Amino acid sequence: MLNEISIRNFAIIEALSIPFEKGLTVLSGETGAGKSIIIDAVHLLVGGRGSAEFVRHGEDKAEIEGLFLLDDLNHPCYKKAEEFGIEIEDGMVVLRRDISKNGKSVCRINGKLVTISTLREVGSTLVDIHGQHEHQELMDESRHLPLLDQFGGQKIAKSHNEYENIFRSYDQTMKKINNLTENEQQMAHRLDLIQFQLEEIRNADLKLNEDEELIEEKQKLSNFERIFEALQISFNALQGEQKGMDWVGLAMSQMQTASELDSNFQELSESVSNSFYQLEDSMRTLRNELDLMEYNPGRLNEIEERLNEINGLKRKYGQSIEATLEYASKIEEEIETILNKETHIEQLQKTAASLREDLLVEGEELSRLRRKTAVNLTKLIHKELKELYMEKTVFEVNFTMDKETFSKNGLDIVEFYLSTNPGEPLKPLSKIASGGELSRIMLALKSIFSKHQGVTSIIFDEVDTGVSGRVAQAIAEKIHQVAKDSQVLCISHLPQVAAMADSHLFISKNTKAGRTKTTVKSLGDEEKIKEIGRMISGVEITDLTREHAKELLLMAKQVKIP
């Protein structure tokens, strides 16, 4: 859900911080008070088009920040955020957008700078705004098939996964065939290139970890004089004129005498003896190392040249010797494939034909399940439309099957069709003219798909325009139904909708020091009665109006009882 939004220097809003609750939140107020401006702010927050016109006059930039809380680890926002390398901790997503007076935008998600397109993709999983075409998911025909699949649940998901696994193999096979049958001249150039590369790597005769061993040897040679001097001084200290070993030997002899006279010194005597013999071993090792050490300046040059050669190959073919050798193995296989491409093409075509048959079987089964699901969906939508007094409207899931061009989504092309009046032909949903009818149609669809879309917040921007009476009451009840599965924010002028609200925000504007400011107030019970009364009768609120408002609230309470 959208937990809170903070808005600064946006249009006529100087500074607002608005907390939101779960369920249905209604925003009401006089025309021009700034209700739609708040929705515009949310729209921009999730990637809508912005311009310098939104920046409050006299300010440098407008700032919008929103906190969303995710209570489902399977929420689609997690997957989308992962695609863009955005971390989500404790189920919190913070979107921020700054728009400067020159029209430029700076966007952030959980503190990470992102592009507007990234903000839009992540935002689309969080908010669906009805009233702004950029966010009307149901008006986008490319979303109809995924929505049908989501409605179908696990049966379609399982069938789709089986189809998709085969499709991946088929797609990879077809790409290999296309690569082998592409332009002959390009293939010849490719062959020349990779044969040269393979020969260069083979001639280098690389060994695993060779560069690390050479660097270690180079380090020793570069510090030869210092190492030799240190070893020589250490040896002389033990065996040279200072007779270090003789003094330790004398200490050992005297401690042995002391231990024979007093057993309490036995352990100390043994410790001195052990130290003597350890030093003796170390001294012999030092002598051997000094005898073996020999400085070879030519070897240092050889190492430098070899490391330069290895590093040159790593720059071309991999970040390590292992990666370079893996690349050599890969292009060796490619060379063999190109030289024997006719045989490989024949084998790949057989594989593709077999996979194609499997795709048709799985694709037709997936299509069968989808068509069965479409029947159930159609019945539900007709029921929803009837409850909104649109019983003559016909809904249909239109299927087109393409058995020639396979896609990862199957053989079906799906689009939602409608006919709003008897005798009129069914038309694509995206072609239905906007207005009161479209609002009710979208509401009917959302009341079903809100359970499957996974969108955190749904915003209705005056979907009740042009309706009244029993239709208004039906819309109010339907919006409340949608709010059971998703947080709903609704700008409304209908008292019936306001009465169904779980929380009611009153938007007003006032002038101070020659500047207009928008304010937001959460209404208590008595204030709700007054505001609903205003929505019923206008400016003058009579006792009868108040009674009518109380009656609406009572009726709404009864409707909301499970």
Side-chain angles (χ1 to χ4, degrees):
M1 58 172 280
L2 174 57
N3 183 256
E4 186 172 345
I5 188 169
S6 174
I7 308 169
R8 291 180 60 84
N9 301 324
F10 184 77
I12 61 173
I13 297 175
E14 181 181 26
L16 277 180
S17 183
I18 312 171
F20 293 101
E21 303 293 335
K22 290 183 177 180
L24 171 60
T25 297
V26 167
L27 290 79
S28 70
E30 297 287 354
T31 301
K35 302 184 297 298
S36 292
I37 292 174
I38 293 171
I39 302 304
D40 287 341
V42 178
H43 179 219
L44 287 171
L45 186 64
V46 293
R49 292 177 183 172
S51 73
E53 294 177 3
F54 286 114
V55 181
R56 184 172 167 84
H57 178 69
E59 302 295 340
D60 292 329
K61 65 178 180 178
E63 303 170 13
I64 310 165
E65 190 169 41
L67 169 62
F68 293 84
L69 302 180
L70 308 178
D71 55 8
D72 181 3
L73 292 175
N74 295 317
H75 193 284
C77 185
Y78 280 99
K79 184 177 180 181
K80 186 62 69 174
E82 187 179 354
E83 288 178 20
F84 297 108
I86 298 165
E87 293 185 5
I88 298 177
E89 294 183 1
D90 301 324
M92 294 192 294
V93 180
V94 178
L95 306 186
R96 181 182 174 94
R97 186 166 181 186
D98 297 345
I99 302 176
S100 64
K101 61 183 180 181
N102 61 12
K104 292 184 178 179
S105 287
V106 177
C107 309
R108 288 182 174 86
I109 301 177
N110 282 357
K112 181 177 180 178
L113 282 169
V114 297
T115 62
I116 290 178
S117 61
T118 300
L119 183 70
R120 187 178 299 121
E121 286 199 47
V122 174
S124 67
T125 67
L126 297 170
V127 176
D128 183 17
I129 302 177
H130 179 62
Q132 300 287 346
H133 283 278
E134 290 178 9
H135 284 264
Q136 284 189 34
E137 188 176 18
L138 292 171
M139 294 293 283
D140 181 359
E141 59 268 18
S142 68
R143 290 292 304 144
H144 294 175
L145 180 59
L147 283 170
L148 179 65
D149 286 354
Q150 287 172 11
F151 180 77
Q154 287 300 314
K155 284 187 178 180
I156 286 185
K158 183 180 178 182
S159 179
H160 191 191
N161 285 337
E162 290 173 358
Y163 171 89
E164 199 169 8
N165 288 335
I166 299 171
F167 175 79
R168 276 195 291 268
S169 299
Y170 174 77
D171 190 50
Q172 290 169 2
T173 302
M174 291 305 298
K175 285 177 180 177
K176 289 177 182 178
I177 292 172
N178 291 335
N179 288 338
L180 286 172
T181 55
E182 65 184 7
N183 186 285
E184 287 289 337
Q185 189 176 13
Q186 290 180 354
M187 186 73 74
H189 288 163
R190 174 67 180 167
L191 182 61
D192 287 344
L193 173 63
I194 58 179
Q195 282 178 330
F196 169 79
Q197 291 175 341
L198 182 62
E199 185 178 0
E200 185 178 29
I201 296 171
R202 280 179 172 173
N203 289 340
D205 193 23
L206 296 172
K207 305 290 188 299
L208 286 174
N209 303 320
E210 180 184 358
D211 50 348
E212 296 174 6
E213 293 170 1
L214 288 171
I215 290 170
E216 186 178 349
E217 186 181 354
K218 176 186 173 183
Q219 189 75 12
K220 288 180 180 179
L221 288 172
S222 299
N223 296 297
F224 177 85
E225 291 183 4
R226 292 178 63 188
I227 295 171
F228 184 84
E229 182 182 2
L231 295 180
Q232 187 68 59
I233 291 172
S234 298
F235 181 79
N236 289 339
L238 294 172
Q239 192 65 27
E241 294 178 359
Q242 298 179 27
K243 304 288 185 181
M245 287 300 295
D246 290 347
W247 286 109
V248 178
L250 177 61
M252 178 179 68
S253 175
Q254 293 302 312
M255 284 307 302
Q256 285 174 348
T257 300
S259 67
E260 289 169 1
L261 297 172
D262 186 344
S263 61
N264 289 329
F265 294 106
Q266 182 65 35
E267 187 176 342
L268 183 57
S269 174
E270 289 176 0
S271 176
V272 173
S273 296
N274 288 336
S275 298
F276 175 82
Y277 294 125
Q278 286 179 351
L279 283 170
E280 200 172 45
D281 289 342
S282 297
M283 186 183 68
R284 282 194 291 269
T285 302
L286 275 170
R287 185 174 58 238
N288 291 336
E289 288 290 340
L290 286 167
D291 290 343
L292 292 171
M293 288 189 75
E294 180 181 356
Y295 182 64
N296 182 0
R299 175 58 182 162
L300 191 59
N301 291 333
E302 290 173 8
I303 291 172
E304 289 284 3
E305 290 176 4
R306 180 60 173 169
L307 284 172
N308 285 337
E309 182 183 13
I310 292 172
N311 289 332
L313 292 171
K314 288 197 294 186
R315 281 194 296 272
K316 290 181 182 178
Y317 308 119
Q319 297 299 313
S320 64
I321 289 178
E322 184 179 9
T324 302
L325 292 173
E326 287 176 359
Y327 178 75
S329 177
K330 180 182 175 182
I331 59 175
E332 188 174 13
E333 291 180 8
E334 187 178 351
I335 289 168
E336 191 277 331
T337 300
I338 293 174
L339 292 174
N340 301 283
K341 69 173 184 175
E342 298 303 329
T343 302
H344 283 283
I345 289 172
E346 186 178 346
Q347 291 173 344
L348 288 169
Q349 286 175 335
K350 288 180 181 178
T351 301
S354 176
L355 289 169
R356 189 181 181 89
E357 290 178 7
D358 293 341
L359 275 178
L360 282 170
V361 172
E362 293 295 337
E364 287 173 351
E365 172 61 15
L366 177 57
S367 182
R368 184 188 69 80
L369 291 172
R370 282 170 171 165
R371 290 171 189 270
K372 186 176 179 181
T373 299
V375 172
N376 295 331
L377 175 62
T378 301
K379 289 178 181 177
L380 273 178
I381 288 177
H382 281 151
K383 178 176 176 292
E384 295 288 335
L385 290 171
K386 185 177 180 181
E387 290 174 2
L388 288 167
Y389 302 101
M390 295 185 71
E391 58 275 359
K392 295 181 180 180
T393 297
V394 178
F395 173 88
E396 182 181 282
V397 181
N398 183 65
F399 281 85
T400 304
M401 184 175 281
D402 185 354
K403 294 186 178 182
E404 297 300 322
T405 307
F406 295 103
S407 79
K408 66 178 182 179
N409 291 319
L411 309 178
D412 299 311
I413 300 170
V414 166
E415 190 171 0
F416 298 157
Y417 274 54
L418 280 168
S419 172
T420 54
N421 295 299
E424 288 189 5
L426 288 158
K427 294 180 182 179
L429 178 62
S430 57
K431 300 293 191 294
I432 300 295
S434 60
E437 282 186 335
L438 179 59
S439 295
R440 281 185 281 165
I441 291 164
M442 299 302 287
L443 195 52
L445 293 171
K446 282 187 186 295
S447 65
I448 295 171
F449 286 123
S450 60
K451 300 176 183 178
H452 305 278
Q453 285 176 284
V455 176
T456 300
S457 304
I458 297 173
I459 297 175
F460 292 119
D461 189 356
E462 299 188 8
V463 296
D464 48 26
T465 301
V467 298
S468 59
R470 62 177 188 169
V471 175
Q473 184 60 38
I475 285 179
E477 292 178 11
K478 200 61 64 182
I479 290 175
H480 173 260
Q481 182 182 332
V482 175
K484 289 180 180 179
D485 299 296
S486 296
Q487 178 193 46
V488 172
L489 310 180
C490 180
I491 292 179
S492 179
H493 294 288
L494 284 180
Q496 293 92 335
V497 174
M500 295 295 294
D502 298 304
S503 57
H504 192 148
L505 300 179
F506 180 70
I507 318 298
S508 60
K509 67 178 179 180
N510 55 73
T511 304
K512 185 177 181 181
R515 296 299 302 273
T516 302
K517 291 173 57 177
T518 290
T519 57
V520 177
K521 182 181 180 181
S522 180
L523 301 183
D525 291 341
E526 284 299 317
E527 292 167 319
K528 284 182 183 178
I529 293 171
K530 183 178 178 182
E531 174 59 8
I532 292 172
R534 182 194 66 79
M535 297 170 79
I536 293 171
S537 64
V539 178
E540 187 176 350
I541 302 173
T542 65
D543 290 339
L544 183 61
T545 305
R546 288 178 60 84
E547 289 303 315
H548 189 185
K550 288 180 182 179
E551 185 181 8
L552 277 178
L553 284 165
L554 181 62
M555 289 172 57
K557 189 175 182 180
Q558 292 172 344
V559 169
K560 290 193 281 186
I561 295 174

